[in-house]
Every structure is written in structure tokens, then in C-alpha cells.
Amino acid sequence: MVAMSFLQNWFRAHLKHDWANKRCVAARYATGDGVNKNEARARIWYARAAKAGDVTALYDLGMMLILGEGGPVDEPGGQAMLLDAANQGDPEAQKVLTYAFTDGLYGFPVEPPKANHWRRLAESQ
């Protein structure tokens, strides 16, 4: 059953061009909050929120692509989104890149100077 609060978010996301309602719909699809969990739809809504300017949605979508949540794995696409989100100041993306470049996660090479760069930026926030 779909919760009324989800429907309100969904309608607002369609009517308004801001990213906040779009990310809210994406997160609710991703977690199953008020609606059946549907990671494929979450991907679509995170992409809409990112296109509308939400840096956190860019990070979330990048992780979904890397992990293959809601669709096929797209490691290069996910990596590009993580880097873009981190460059735009998203602290979670910066933290993930710190670990990725430290341990060679998510297809990133082990590069200590890059890991240190992202660690410094994440810590400064």
C-alpha cells in the first residue's frame, strides 16, 4: 500500500523543479518508506534530483551504479558521479573516495596521494 505522504512527495516532485522533493521520492523508493521498495525507480529519481542540482543525489546514484542496485553495474559511470559529487563538496563522496583510493575499492586504483587529498577535504567539512 502506498502511504499518503509518499503520494504528496511524488506530486510535489512532478510539479516543482527543485531537487529536494525528487531526492525525497528517490530515497523513499530506495528504502521502501511509504511505498514498495523499488531500486530501479530510485535510480531514476536520484538521476532527476542530480540533474536538478542535488549533489547528494549524485553521490547516491553513483553508489547505486557502482553496486548494481536497481540495474546493471556501471562502475565507470558511478566513479565519475562520485568524483563529481566530491568535487562539488559532498562529504560522503569525499569519504568514500578516501577509502576507495586507500584500498582500491569500487574499481579505483590504490593512490595514497589522492586518498590523502579526499581525506583532508572530508575532514575540513
Side-chain angles (χ1 to χ4, degrees):
M1 183 173 169
V2 177
M4 182 61 78
S5 61
F6 172 80
L7 290 174
Q8 289 171 336
N9 286 130
W10 189 87
F11 281 116
R12 283 189 207 120
H14 276 286
L15 297 174
K16 296 183 178 186
H17 297 290
D18 67 330
W19 54 260
N21 288 299
K22 291 174 181 21
R23 179 164 35 119
C24 185
V25 170
R28 294 182 81 165
Y29 272 126
T31 62
D33 180 17
V35 66
N36 289 333
K37 184 174 179 173
N38 188 324
E39 291 178 340
R41 286 188 180 175
R43 261 195 196 199
I44 292 167
W45 281 97
Y46 278 129
R48 290 174 181 170
K51 186 176 180 181
D54 183 11
V55 177
T56 300
L58 190 61
Y59 159 75
D60 289 327
L61 180 58
M63 289 305 299
M64 289 186 86
L65 292 173
I66 286 172
L67 299 173
E69 296 174 342
V73 170
D74 178 3
E75 204 168 74
Q79 290 172 334
M81 288 183 184
L82 281 180
L83 287 165
D84 192 13
N87 281 316
Q88 291 185 52
D90 185 82
E92 290 303 313
Q94 293 169 348
K95 288 178 196 173
V96 167
L97 288 175
T98 297
Y99 297 117
F101 283 114
T102 298
D103 299 327
L105 302 175
Y106 309 126
F108 286 97
V110 173
E111 293 187 33
K114 287 185 179 181
N116 289 331
H117 167 75
W118 293 116
R119 181 177 294 112
R120 282 191 302 276
L121 287 175
E123 288 173 351
S124 72
Q125 295 201 43

